[in-house]
Amino acid sequence: MKTTTTGDKKVLGRHGLRERVERWRRAGERIVLANGNFDLLHVGHVRYLRGAKELGGKLVVAINSDESVRTLKGEGRPIMPAEERAEIVAALADVDAVVIFSELDVRGLIREIRPDIQAKGTDYTAESVPERDAVAEYGGRVAIVGDAKDHSTSGIIRARLTPRQP
């Protein structure tokens, strides 16, 4: 998928994202960053992103590259390629921009765009967020959003692979 910084396109490369964030900041917008694999989009993802958007401002979603998903989740993942996952997430009304990142965590991207808030799901606490150190470096904050971690792509896959009992 070709990335662009023109018009209202939401899926951007890192350079285009930096430019978009700078433009939003000049306009006085708050920047919120959410991240994840977003493999097989489910209601837990939607609730997480809605909660992140409710923090106020522009919501940037960073999606793990295929290689980083394989490293984090194992062979057979992701189910869908990064470009398709990005396009699906970008179609959500709450999302203002999407970027694919290849690192195993978002510290590098955090240092590039310096979001006011890094939103993480309820499978974390503010103290357990792996990238909280990068957010603290410039005075940003971490917020935990979304509903209880009752939904996951791994759970959906396991449920589909487990034979149903009569």
Side-chain angles (χ1 to χ4, degrees), residues 118-146:
Q118 181 194 17
K120 295 295 270 191
T122 58
D123 45 336
Y124 292 94
T125 65
E127 296 75 32
S128 71
V129 171
E131 305 89 3
R132 73 186 181 286
D133 58 333
V135 177
E137 287 173 5
Y138 59 87
R141 73 178 177 99
V142 170
I144 306 302
V145 298

Side-chain angles (χ1 to χ4, degrees), residues 50-163:
R50 183 171 299 132
K53 181 66 173 182
E54 288 172 355
L55 296 170
K58 298 293 187 177
L59 177 58
V60 175
V61 180
I63 295 181
N64 291 78
S65 69
D66 294 346
E67 184 178 323
S68 67
V69 172
R70 263 189 299 283
T71 300
L72 293 166
K73 300 289 185 177
E75 285 303 312
R77 297 286 301 275
I79 303 299
M80 294 188 300
E83 292 79 11
E84 291 179 17
R85 292 183 280 127
E87 185 176 344
I88 291 168
V89 169
L92 299 173
D94 290 327
V95 175
D96 296 295
V98 177
V99 66
I100 298 169
F101 71 103
S102 59
E103 302 90 343
L104 296 180
D105 67 39
V106 290
R107 281 184 180 92
L109 185 62
I110 286 169
R111 289 181 175 117
E112 286 178 41
I113 67 168
R114 299 169 58 103
D116 299 286
I117 304 169
Q118 181 194 17
K120 295 295 270 191
T122 58
D123 45 336
Y124 292 94
T125 65
E127 296 75 32
S128 71
V129 171
E131 305 89 3
R132 73 186 181 286
D133 58 333
V135 177
E137 287 173 5
Y138 59 87
R141 73 178 177 99
V142 170
I144 306 302
V145 298
D147 64 351
K149 184 76 173 175
D150 294 332
H151 308 91
S152 72
T153 299
S154 298
I156 292 168
I157 293 168
R158 275 193 305 277
R160 296 290 180 212
L161 295 177
T162 303

Side-chain angles (χ1 to χ4, degrees), residues 4-9 12 15-29 31 58 96:
T4 181
T5 60
T6 60
D8 62 353
K9 297 291 183 180
L12 305 167
H15 178 75
L17 177 64
R18 284 191 305 271
E19 289 179 349
R20 180 87 46 98
V21 166
E22 288 171 17
R23 195 167 54 236
W24 286 336
R25 278 225 166 82
R26 285 193 302 272
E29 294 286 353
I31 308 301
K58 298 293 187 177
D96 296 295

